[in-house]
Amino acid sequence: MYFQVGLADAETIFALSSGHGRCGVAVVRASGPASSTALRCMTRLTRNLPPPRKALLRSITDPQSKEVLDRGLVFWFPAPHSFTGEDSVEFHIHGGPAVITAVLHALGSVPGMRPAEAGEFTRRAFQAGKLGLTEVEGLGDLIHAETEAQRRQALRQMSGDLGRLYQDWSHKLKRCLAHVEAFIDFSEDELIEDGVLNQVDTWVCDLQAEIERHLQDERRGERLRTGVQVVIAGAANAGKSSLLNTLCQRPAAIVSPIAGTTRDIVETALDIGGFPVLLSDTAGLRESPDLVEREGVRRARERVDQADLTLVVVDCAHLPSDAEQAATFLEGHLRSVLSPQEQSLLVLNKTDLLPEEQRLELDWELRRVSGLPPVCHISCHTNEGLQDFLAVLHRSVKTLCGDPLSCAPTLTQARHRAHLQQCFAALAQYQRYRDIDLALAAEGVRLALTSLGRITGHVGAEEILDIIFKDFCIGK
């Protein structure tokens, strides 16, 4: 069951729900039993409350001094037809800091009202059954979404797609558990039809297959939510920092003809065709007597191992002039930079320094080599080939994240994955004990059901709530 609280006895909370800073319109929200009192006190309403969800233009006044603080719109949302399920009121006022401060101070003077804590409005919506836990997480992701793909995934989750998938699995498990427990209790009285356990076996097996497919998503949803880790790596002075600066269109990293300029990781967040990317420039990979540079190289290799995608940058001017030898060199260079199975793009930089004929020969030779990652020819100096490179990078990032609208809802949180893995293991317990001890087998189904309930918030897990809601801003 949902976590229920005595909403009728809850304190009334208030907060600025729109963004901080100067703006044309700010929204101050209150929720709880004293909301109607606050509305009357702040707008000098002496008769009936305004019609629900209808805008009413009123002077906003201080209940104590009777001073007019602003003139704005007020909205009345009676329970249970509000975001929180409680009586709620919104004041749409001018967004200057002095106006906002005065209105918040006036609300604080109304008996029974207090400032809201971070995420408290959404927490009350969850406790009232207005939102499931996965929908709450989707709302949080929507608030923090910075790219188009993140917005789409968050909106889909907030709309309940992921929650409905897990609820469907929960209903199947409840049916399995009911049948197993009925067999335990009544099979000796011959009140249970033959084949009941065989049917449960089929249901459990099918559900295990569904969960396994869901888990084998290559972390696409989690990657889209947090950003694709793209690392620029390669030899010293290959143009890695120049590529970083070109992609983020600002001098994020120092560029110098002196090899070994970059010592530490330089990070910047990018939007690549609607997908979030955390781009990291790293130290040039080479042997060095310098202790600081050696530490930089160690960190660079560590970041490459953690990367979702590595851009291996090579200075074309240092390639052998013979195309076949150049291809062999590049194969060896990739092995020295990357671990097996790592996803990468081979970026041949400074192609403006190569004669046209040599460039064409190299391109033809590289196409003959099997096992090479996609090859991009660019010049950070002239921007030649940059658009083609961005198109290849966008395709690679899109493949890593997937399309949030074109397939089944994906995992977006590490805790979802952990609970689903526990659910899968619990179903394996059912299969292990099915013919040995049916009570232990039933316990496996019960544990699986509990694990799913911890994702959606349908079992007791107060510690989960504290983790989730603390990431919300005040007023949401």
Side-chain angles (χ1 to χ4, degrees):
M1 60 182 295
Y2 283 109
F3 302 105
Q4 296 290 344
V5 296
L7 295 180
D9 301 324
E11 296 175 289
T12 301
I13 57 173
F14 66 90
L16 174 68
S17 288
S18 53
H20 290 270
R22 291 178 175 83
C23 54
V25 177
V27 178
V28 175
R29 172 190 286 170
S31 179
S35 294
S36 59
T37 303
L39 177 55
R40 292 180 189 276
C41 292
M42 300 281 288
T43 61
R44 295 188 180 180
L45 283 173
T46 57
R47 297 183 180 179
N48 295 332
L49 291 168
R53 295 170 295 282
K54 300 284 187 179
L56 180 65
L57 180 63
R58 299 289 293 183
S59 293
I60 312 297
T61 61
D62 188 308
Q64 294 183 331
S65 68
K66 309 304 179 185
E67 178 188 358
V68 175
L69 306 176
D70 193 17
R71 188 165 174 79
L73 298 176
V74 294
F75 291 84
W76 168 240
F77 302 93
H81 305 296
S82 68
F83 175 71
T84 60
E86 305 173 309
D87 285 348
S88 299
V89 62
E90 288 184 0
F91 300 90
H92 292 223
I93 57 178
H94 292 97
V99 176
I100 294 171
T101 301
V103 171
L104 292 175
H105 182 269
L107 280 171
S109 69
V110 177
M113 300 194 67
R114 65 166 175 82
E117 298 176 359
E120 192 169 3
F121 286 94
T122 306
R123 184 165 188 156
R124 291 191 177 197
F126 168 72
Q127 290 170 329
K130 290 286 185 175
L131 295 173
L133 208 49
T134 55
E135 294 166 355
V136 167
E137 290 170 322
L139 174 58
D141 290 345
L142 186 63
I143 292 170
H144 294 101
E146 296 182 347
T147 71
E148 184 65 12
Q150 285 178 318
R151 179 193 65 78
R152 289 173 178 169
Q153 175 171 275
L155 187 60
R156 185 177 185 185
Q157 182 170 332
M158 191 187 75
S159 300
D161 281 13
L162 192 62
R164 281 189 291 273
L165 175 65
Y166 296 152
Q167 284 298 331
D168 179 59
W169 290 350
S170 293
H171 291 319
K172 291 178 180 178
L173 282 176
K174 288 175 185 176
R175 184 169 56 173
C176 291
L177 185 59
H179 281 63
V180 174
E181 291 185 336
F183 188 88
I184 293 173
D185 293 337
F186 304 114
S187 61
E188 293 182 359
D189 299 329
E190 298 183 354
L191 298 175
I192 300 297
E193 297 178 2
D194 294 336
V196 166
L197 286 185
N198 292 335
Q199 183 64 64
V200 173
D201 293 343
T202 301
W203 290 338
V204 168
C205 187
D206 291 346
L207 187 55
Q208 267 193 310
E210 285 188 62
I211 294 174
E212 187 172 29
R213 285 194 299 270
H214 191 59
L215 287 168
Q216 292 174 346
D217 64 343
E218 298 179 344
R219 293 181 54 251
R220 287 192 296 270
E222 295 167 76
R223 192 179 286 122
L224 176 55
R225 178 175 176 267
T226 59
V228 181
Q229 298 284 339
V230 178
V231 174
I232 305 174
N237 234 21
K240 301 184 299 298
S241 296
S242 296
L243 178 58
L244 176 80
N245 293 345
T246 300
L247 290 176
C248 67
Q249 298 181 338
R250 62 183 177 87
I254 297 173
V255 175
S256 165
I258 301 173
T261 301
T262 302
R263 301 293 183 92
D264 209 345
I265 307 296
V266 180
E267 293 183 338
T268 186
L270 296 178
D271 181 338
I272 302 294
F275 293 90
V277 166
L278 184 63
L279 186 65
S280 302
D281 182 26
T282 60
L285 302 178
R286 66 172 184 171
E287 297 294 329
S288 173
D290 188 296
L291 288 175
V292 177
E293 187 174 0
R294 285 212 301 269
E295 175 60 19
V297 171
R298 186 196 68 78
R299 294 186 182 189
R301 293 196 178 280
E302 182 179 65
R303 186 58 64 94
V304 168
D305 291 339
Q306 298 168 351
D308 297 312
L309 178 68
T310 302
L311 309 180
V312 181
V313 182
V314 177
D315 183 350
C316 282
H318 292 164
L319 290 175
S321 56
D322 180 75
E324 188 174 345
Q325 292 179 1
T328 302
F329 169 82
L330 289 172
E331 286 185 280
H333 184 64
L334 286 170
R335 286 194 295 269
S336 70
V337 173
L338 303 170
S339 302
Q341 308 303 320
E342 285 189 29
Q343 298 201 48
S344 63
L345 299 180
L346 179 57
V347 183
L348 302 183
N349 189 24
K350 307 181 185 180
T351 54
D352 57 305
L353 301 180
L354 287 184
E356 181 68 19
E357 183 179 351
Q358 183 179 347
R359 196 188 325 180
L360 292 174
E361 288 180 0
L362 176 61
D363 189 46
W364 182 82
E365 185 65 36
L366 290 177
R367 290 179 182 177
R368 296 176 54 194
V369 179
S370 62
L372 279 182
V375 181
C376 302
H377 301 263
I378 68 166
S379 168
C380 292
H381 179 65
T382 66
N383 287 338
E384 180 184 354
L386 186 62
Q387 292 304 314
D388 291 338
F389 164 70
L390 286 172
V392 174
L393 178 59
H394 175 251
R395 286 197 297 271
S396 299
V397 170
K398 184 176 181 179
T399 299
L400 288 167
C401 291
D403 186 343
L405 299 182
S406 67
C407 54
T410 56
L411 288 161
T412 60
Q413 304 266 352
R415 74 171 197 91
H416 298 174
R417 188 175 300 279
H419 289 313
L420 284 173
Q421 288 169 341
Q422 292 169 3
C423 177
F424 188 85
L427 292 178
Q429 175 179 324
Y430 167 82
Q431 294 176 324
R432 187 164 59 250
Y433 289 103
R434 195 269 197 197
D435 296 322
I436 302 173
D437 188 327
L438 204 52
L440 285 176
E443 182 62 20
V445 179
R446 190 176 293 105
L447 290 173
L449 187 58
T450 300
S451 296
L452 277 180
R454 290 185 180 276
I455 300 177
T456 59
H458 281 71
V459 297
E462 189 69 21
E463 70 280 1
I464 298 174
L465 299 184
D466 292 333
I467 295 170
I468 291 172
F469 290 109
K470 73 178 177 61
D471 292 330
F472 277 77
C473 57
I474 303 292
K476 195 60 187 172

